[in-house]
Each structure stands twice: as C-alpha cells, then as structure tokens.
Amino acid sequence: MTEYGRGPGPEPWHPEDPQYGDQGWTGHEAQQGQTPYVAGPQQYQQQEPQPQQAYYAQQQGQYPQAQQMPYPQQQVPYPQHPQQHAQHPQQHQQHAQQQETYGGQGQVWDTGQGHYAQAPQAADPYAGADPYAQQQTNGYPGEAPDLYGTPEAFPPPRPPSMRHLDTAEDWPEEEARTDGTADSFLAGGDGGEDDGDGDDGGRGGRGGRRSGRSGGQPKKRSGMACLIAAVVIVGVLGGGGYYGYGYLKDKFGAAEDFAGAGIDETVDVEIPKGAGLGQMGRILKEQGVVASAQAFVDAASGVKGGMSIQPGIYPLRKKMSAAAAVEVMTDPSKLHVLTVSEGMRNSTVYDAIDKKLEKPAGTTKDIASKEAKSLGLPAWANNDPKIIDPLEGFLYPARYDLKKDTTPESLLKQMVKNATDKYTELGVEGKAKELGLENPLQVITVASLVNAEGKNHDDFRKMAEVVYNRLKKTNDVTNQKIEFDSTYNYVKNQSEINFNLTEAKAFVNPYNTHNVKGLPPGPIGNPGADALAGTLDPDHGGWMFFVSVDENKTTFTKTYDEHLKLVAEFQARQKQKNGG
C-alpha cells in the first residue's frame, strides 16, 4: 500500500515503543516546502500532566528538573521553502490531543507535518498567535495538497503505541447486496472484505476495522451454501449407509442364489488347474451360471465330492442354482473333457472323440487315416509300411479340455504335439542305440508293450528287461520271439486273457509276437510316462519270463522251469475261478 507522511526526520525509536524499530511508521507525509513545527510549552499549559506524561512535560519545559532528551534534533538535510500549513480548528485540536496522548511514552513523535524539537532548544515561531486561526501559505507551482484537510482525506495515522488498541465503534451488520450477489463463501472468500489497500489507508485504519469486526455481528451466509452443505452431508451419510448395509449383508446375510436348473442357454465354463472353490465360484458368476460365488462355495462345501471338483471344461446352463451347478461338476461324466489313459489304443481314442464331439461313428478314425501326415508326426514315426495306424503311440495320454470350437483334427494335433514334446524331452532318439534298438520308433513300441503287460512302475522296469533279453540273438529259449498276448489281442482288437494259445501261434500277422520274431512294426498303444521311464531304464535283473498271478501282481522268473511252475499255478486258479 502507498505510505503517506514519511518525512526527513528520524524514525521513532524508544525501547518502550511496541513498534520498536518499526521501519514502516513515519506519520503523515512530509510535504515539501513546510517549515518545522515546534511545539511550545504554551500549548499545553492548560493540561494537567499525568504520570505517564511526566517525561513529555519535562521535555516541554514545564518542569525544570526535566532532563534533556537523549536524541538530538535531526536537521533537514536539504533547504525547504518556508510555508505554513492551513488546517481547520478541529484538526489543530486533534493534533494537540494526539501530542498529549503520545507524550505518555516519554518522547515526542513525528506526525508528518514537520519535526518536533525540544522546547528549551527552539523558539516558538507561533507564540501569541491564535492556534485556531487560519494561516497563510505561500503557494508555488507544484505545491503538494493537504491530504488531511478535505472530507475525502485519510484519517490521521496512529503512533506505534496505539496501533493495536480497539476502537469504540462497532462494525455495522452487513446487509444483503442489492445487485443480486450474495455475501458468502460462494461469492468469493470473505464476501468483499477489504484487502487492506482500500479506503482505510494506513495500518491504523485497517487495525481499527479488524477490531470493530471482532466485536460486531458475524457475517451472514446465503441459503445456497447451507443447501450445498446439507446435500454433502446427506450424500456422505447415505453412501456410508449403503455400503455398510452391503457389507453386513455379505458378511452375515444369506448369499444371493438362483433357483432351479437354469435357463435354456448353455455356456462352457473352464476351471483352471489349482483353482479353489472361491475362484471357481467367481468364474461361474462371471459366466452368469450362479448368482454369487459365496452361494457356490456354500453348496460345494456341503456335499460329498464338492471339495475335489476337477479342473476342466463343464457345459453348464446360465442362472443355475449353486446346488445344481455343484451336482453337474461333481459328476465326472458331465465334465466336458476327453481323457486318454495310459496304454489306450487309438481305436478306443477315436471312438471317444466321436462321442464327446457328437460326431458320427468312424469320423475321427477316417480323418486320422487320411490326414496322418499333416497332424504333426515326427519324421521317424512312420518308417514301416506294415504299420496298421501311423498315429498309434502318438496320441499322448492326458486329459484334454473340449470347447465349442474343438474339432477332431484340432484334438488329434494337440495329442500328437504332446507326445512329440514328451519324446523329445526324454531324448528317445539318442536312447535307441544305447538300448540295442534300431530306431526311435522301436523305443515307443517297447514302451507300448511294457504298458500293456505291466501293472505299475516296478513291473514296467522288469517287463522292459524281459523284452530286451528276448530280443537278444543269444536267446535260445523263445528263439527271439516276444510271445506277448497283448500283441495278439491288438491284432484281434480285443482284450482277452483266456484264449487258445495254439490258435494264437498259428495266426500269421506282423503284430502277432507269438508267430513272428522280434518287435511288431509299430506300437500297440499309447504308452504313459511311467512305461516310458521303465523302458529307458530297465531293471537289468536277467528276467526272461513272467506270469500275471492276479490283476494287481505280476511274478517274474529267470528260467523256463520256474516259469512252467507259475503257469501251472495260474491255470489252476483260472479253472477254480470259472467253476471247473
């Protein structure tokens, strides 16, 4: 803000002054061309000195014992035009009252009209003159106007000692504006409060205004502000209540659920491996099958088999009750997957694919026969023209999830890929020569024989040892014939244990190891991981013969005599079992 009244005199400085060292106080503007005004003692002879004015009275010469002021009079550092300052009588009276009040601080303060000097050191140029008479001024071009003698003038500034005193006037209550604006925080902060640089002028005026407002009426706020505040409060309470109700309902209320077996719209839902009931419920809810995940969890937890639902693809209806969904998913036959078991023959796999994909019987077998070369077989797979089915041994045992877009071709390709990847992982090509075999396909063929005749991992290793020993050229007991019943059954597309051995030996077929030496042209099934591992790591126990004592146990022997004894025991059990 613009400062008025800074004159050439010294800044007020006194240790008891609240504005001690204040560089902003200089009183009124020192107008150029004015002569210093010396306050004589005759101006204050009618005033009775107060205790706090003793020092001031001493300075005016009223009391002889007064000591001289400790601050020397400052001289004007530049010449000034002698002129007088015209003021109204009321202003002179105010000026005198201000000096009396200021004297209580023990020092004469500069008001901006000139410089005060100590009474004993300066003569009063206005002695004997009427203090209220208008004085003449010597005008000259550019003379500064009187800033305190007009109705629009600024009020006289206050000295530092009275800057923070409360004024007697009360701040009037602000009324509504007539121009349509509202004095509220919506209309811009303080509703038009003065920023301190307006009509109040100096700091004294701003301080008085602030003091007056503190004791007056508070400002009115508009109805719009109250309405907005009410809306905010209601919104917060309403939102909190809504979410609180939802939390309590989810926490303690019954889970939302549909009723019945669902609508006439089916969706294939895939449950990934390792999914828990909670994740299953969320997947079903996202697909629109159940109303809530919690309802599914509750239903699955309360039934047998609900905690062991298998991963895979399930054909389910939309908007099913949680109990109905659990019933479908705990039934293995309803699982929309195809499982190729270890040792399963291709003929069985083809029939299963046709059934699962709802294709006419023979569809998949026909595709496998015509498109075998385009299904991803390795180069070493089909190396013998006597092979019945080039895909035999390459439909890897596993579970395959079926989707709406699954076809026989896509499913066969996936199976062949899985087998090829597994054989590459096991290093089948490099193991062939180590095992005394001619090519990698023979490794798969041995594994298929082992899987067909063995029962478990230990059997697989011993069974592989039997095959390798019978293939040896030094084998004069079986004359390098494998003599596995499984090869005869493969040719006959059957799985019989009791058949006529004489007829079997007389049946001529490259796959019938009772009739031909060595291995069949190709695998007789799809070996699993355990059979492959046993084939690649045989037992080396010198086993030559074996007999299946029962469905769960196989006995191995090294000599033919031991074998004959086991065969006699087996035939006796079979005769007793059949009632003979």
Side-chain angles (χ1 to χ4, degrees):
M1 59 184 287
T2 306
E3 294 184 4
Y4 294 96
R6 182 177 294 278
E11 300 286 351
W13 192 91
H14 193 277
E16 297 181 1
D17 183 4
Q19 298 294 330
Y20 172 79
D22 182 9
Q23 298 300 322
W25 168 256
T26 56
H28 293 275
E29 180 183 15
Q31 298 183 8
Q32 209 172 22
Q34 293 181 353
T35 57
Y37 175 77
V38 182
Q42 67 274 13
Q43 295 182 8
Y44 305 101
Q45 292 177 357
Q46 297 178 358
Q47 302 293 332
E48 213 170 296
Q50 301 295 328
Q52 66 271 21
Q53 298 173 346
Y55 186 84
Y56 172 80
Q58 292 176 4
Q59 297 298 328
Q60 301 300 322
Q62 186 173 351
Y63 300 99
Q65 66 272 23
Q67 297 180 359
Q68 186 176 358
M69 288 180 60
Y71 308 106
Q73 180 181 359
Q74 298 290 333
Q75 300 297 329
V76 179
Y78 51 86
Q80 298 191 9
H81 297 280
Q83 64 179 4
Q84 295 176 344
H85 193 65
Q87 294 187 351
H88 296 289
Q90 294 84 356
Q91 292 175 324
H92 282 282
Q93 183 177 3
Q94 181 182 12
H95 176 70
Q97 292 175 353
Q98 289 176 353
Q99 288 215 19
E100 180 181 1
T101 304
Y102 303 160
Q105 300 296 329
Q107 181 178 352
V108 179
W109 298 97
D110 182 10
T111 63
Q113 301 295 332
H115 298 281
Y116 290 104
Q118 296 173 346
Q121 297 180 2
D124 185 3
Y126 303 103
D130 183 0
Y132 303 108
Q134 185 175 3
Q135 299 181 9
Q136 300 297 327
T137 58
N138 295 326
Y140 60 93
E143 180 181 21
D146 182 6
L147 300 178
Y148 303 100
T150 62
E152 296 83 6
F154 291 96
R158 300 190 179 195
S161 61
M162 297 185 65
R163 287 178 181 173
H164 303 291
L165 295 180
D166 293 338
T167 59
E169 63 177 8
D170 290 335
W171 187 260
E173 180 178 352
E174 298 185 24
E175 298 183 356
R177 300 179 181 177
T178 59
D179 57 356
T181 61
D183 183 15
S184 66
F185 65 94
L186 296 178
D190 291 337
E193 181 182 357
D194 186 20
D195 60 358
D197 291 335
D199 295 340
D200 286 342
R203 298 182 183 177
R206 184 176 184 183
R209 184 170 187 175
R210 181 162 52 247
S211 299
R213 175 168 297 185
S214 64
Q217 296 292 333
K219 293 168 56 177
K220 291 183 179 179
R221 299 299 182 188
S222 68
M224 181 61 68
C226 296
L227 177 60
I228 292 178
V231 169
V232 171
I233 293 174
V234 171
V236 171
L237 294 178
Y242 173 78
Y243 285 108
Y245 171 76
Y247 172 79
L248 294 176
K249 181 179 178 182
D250 294 340
K251 191 73 174 176
F252 303 105
E256 187 178 359
D257 196 4
F258 293 127
I263 61 177
D264 234 358
E265 184 178 354
T266 304
V267 60
D268 289 336
V269 179
E270 183 175 0
I271 302 299
K273 293 181 179 180
L277 292 180
Q279 184 178 355
M280 292 181 188
R282 289 189 292 273
I283 294 173
L284 294 175
K285 184 178 184 301
E286 291 173 359
Q287 296 291 330
V289 176
V290 298
S292 65
Q294 187 60 47
F296 175 80
V297 173
D298 294 342
S301 302
V303 300
K304 184 179 179 180
M307 301 296 294
S308 58
I309 295 177
Q310 298 299 311
I313 297 178
Y314 295 87
L316 300 169
R317 292 184 176 185
K318 287 191 174 183
K319 295 187 177 180
M320 300 178 69
S321 68
V326 171
E327 182 180 357
V328 173
M329 297 176 72
T330 52
D331 184 356
S333 64
K334 301 294 179 64
L335 186 63
H336 203 39
V337 298
L338 174 66
T339 302
V340 177
S341 60
E342 295 183 356
M344 184 179 288
R345 298 173 187 169
N346 279 9
S347 59
T348 306
V349 177
Y350 298 150
D351 292 342
I353 293 175
D354 289 342
K355 184 178 181 179
K356 281 291 184 180
L357 298 183
E358 300 179 353
K359 302 294 182 180
T363 300
T364 305
K365 182 179 180 179
D366 187 55
I367 292 173
S369 176
K370 294 179 179 179
E371 302 181 11
K373 294 182 179 180
S374 63
L375 297 178
L377 290 171
W380 48 264
N382 187 9
N383 59 359
D384 193 326
K386 298 177 182 179
I387 292 177
I388 296 176
D389 186 352
L391 296 183
E392 195 75 68
F394 291 92
L395 304 182
Y396 190 73
R399 197 185 74 176
Y400 296 89
D401 296 330
L402 307 178
K403 302 179 180 180
K404 287 185 176 180
D405 58 349
T406 300
T407 63
E409 294 90 341
S410 64
L411 196 54
L412 291 174
K413 285 182 179 180
Q414 183 62 45
M415 293 177 178
V416 172
K417 182 180 184 304
N418 289 350
T420 303
D421 292 345
K422 186 64 176 181
Y423 299 156
T424 302
E425 177 187 344
L426 295 175
V428 170
E429 292 188 63
K431 290 284 186 177
K433 292 184 178 180
E434 294 181 13
L435 297 171
L437 302 175
E438 296 178 3
N439 53 63
L441 182 61
Q442 287 191 343
V443 177
I444 309 304
T445 302
V446 172
S448 68
L449 296 174
V450 168
N451 211 145
E453 297 288 347
K455 305 298 181 183
N456 50 53
H457 181 71
D458 289 339
D459 284 356
F460 295 154
R461 295 189 66 205
K462 292 178 179 180
M463 199 67 68
E465 178 69 8
V466 171
V467 174
Y468 294 140
N469 287 333
R470 290 187 181 186
L471 289 175
K472 290 180 179 179
K473 295 180 179 181
T474 59
N475 174 20
D476 56 359
V477 179
T478 63
N479 297 319
Q480 300 179 7
K481 289 182 180 179
I482 303 298
E483 294 183 348
F484 278 11
D485 294 345
S486 55
T487 60
Y488 177 76
N489 285 332
Y490 179 77
V491 175
K492 292 292 185 175
N493 195 25
Q494 65 184 21
S495 297
E496 297 292 335
I497 297 177
N498 298 314
F499 56 84
N500 191 308
L501 187 57
T502 302
E503 292 180 2
K505 290 182 178 180
F507 182 73
V508 179
N509 188 283
Y511 279 86
N512 182 15
T513 58
H514 283 290
N515 183 266
V516 298
K517 293 181 179 180
L519 295 171
I524 62 172
N526 295 285
D530 280 350
L532 287 167
T535 300
L536 297 175
D537 184 22
D539 181 76
H540 298 295
W543 311 113
M544 283 290 293
F545 304 93
F546 65 92
V547 175
S548 296
V549 177
D550 54 37
E551 295 179 356
N552 299 319
K553 184 178 180 180
T554 304
T555 303
F556 293 87
T557 62
K558 297 179 181 180
T559 65
Y560 186 65
D561 292 338
E562 292 175 333
H563 174 66
L564 291 177
K565 290 180 181 179
L566 292 176
V567 170
E569 293 176 1
F570 173 75
Q571 291 175 348
R573 284 193 301 271
Q574 289 296 108
K575 186 177 181 180
Q576 184 179 4
K577 183 178 180 181
N578 295 331

